[in-house]
Amino acid sequence: MIVRLSIAALLALGGMQMWAQADRRPLSSRYQADSLAPYVPSPQMVVDKMLESAQLKPGETLFDLGCGDGRIPITAAKDFKIKGVCVEISDELVKAARDNIKRQGLGGSVSVVHGNLLQVDLKPADIVTLYLLTDSNEKLKPLLETSLKSGARVVSHDFKMRGWKPDHIDTVDVNGRTHTIFVYRMPPKKD
C-alpha cells in the first residue's frame, strides 16, 4: 500500500512537472483555445507541391489561413510572382512571418493579417491554402463557400474538406511520410 501510494505520488508530481514545463513552451508550440490547429510547419517540399498543385498564375492573390512563419505566401510570391496574404492569430508567429517577409524583401508582395481566420475577408483570394484539422476545415467551410469567387482554389495539406469533391489529389513523400494535398475548385455561384 505504501509502495503504491509513493509511486502514485511520484507519477502525479512528474505529471505536474511535465505540465509546468509544457506551459513554458512558446505559444507556437501549444494548441491555444482560440486557435483552430496547433502550429506544425509544412515541410518546404510540401509547400512547393501545394503551390504547384494550385496552378498559380502571376498576379493572383493567395491567402494562407494559419500561416505560421509565412513560408507558403513567401514561396508563392518569390516563385510565382503573386500577392500573398498571411493570416495568423498567434502574436509570436505574426512576428516571425513579418520578420521572414522583411528578410526576403517581399514587403510589397506579402502582407500579414493578425487575427482570427474565421473573420477575414476572403473575397480577393484566388487561392486559399491551409493546414488545419478536419473539424477546423468544417468551421471554415461556410466562409469559403460564401466568400470565394467561382474558380478559386482551396489547397488543404493532409485534411479533407468534408462533403467537397477534390478537383485533384496529389501526394509528396518527405522523410518517410506521405503528405496528401487536396485541391478544390469553387463552383460557379448560384443566382
Side-chain angles (χ1 to χ4, degrees), residues 34-143:
D34 55 355
S35 174
L36 290 180
Y39 174 55
V40 179
S42 297
Q44 190 60 45
M45 286 178 59
V46 174
V47 170
D48 295 341
K49 189 66 172 178
M50 289 174 75
L51 297 175
E52 176 189 319
S53 298
Q55 301 171 347
L56 303 178
K57 298 171 195 70
E60 289 188 309
T61 300
L62 177 143
F63 277 66
D64 185 21
L65 304 183
C67 73
D69 62 7
R71 67 184 61 196
I72 293 174
I74 288 169
T75 302
K78 283 184 359 187
D79 296 349
F80 295 92
K81 308 299 181 232
I82 68 154
K83 180 180 176 190
V85 180
C86 301
V87 181
E88 180 58 58
I89 200 164
S90 162
D91 296 340
E92 178 184 333
L93 292 172
V94 165
K95 181 181 180 333
R98 287 181 175 149
D99 289 348
N100 289 336
I101 292 163
K102 185 176 181 181
R103 192 175 308 111
Q104 296 288 330
L106 293 169
S109 301
V110 182
S111 61
V112 178
V113 174
H114 185 189
N116 185 326
L117 59 88
L118 293 172
Q119 298 170 352
V120 69
D121 178 10
L122 295 175
K123 288 181 183 75
D126 297 294
I127 305 99
V128 172
T129 56
L130 37 110
Y131 189 15
L132 303 172
L133 305 171
T134 302
D135 289 342
S136 301
N137 287 352
E138 278 298 303
K139 292 177 184 174
L140 185 58
K141 265 175 48 177
L143 177 65

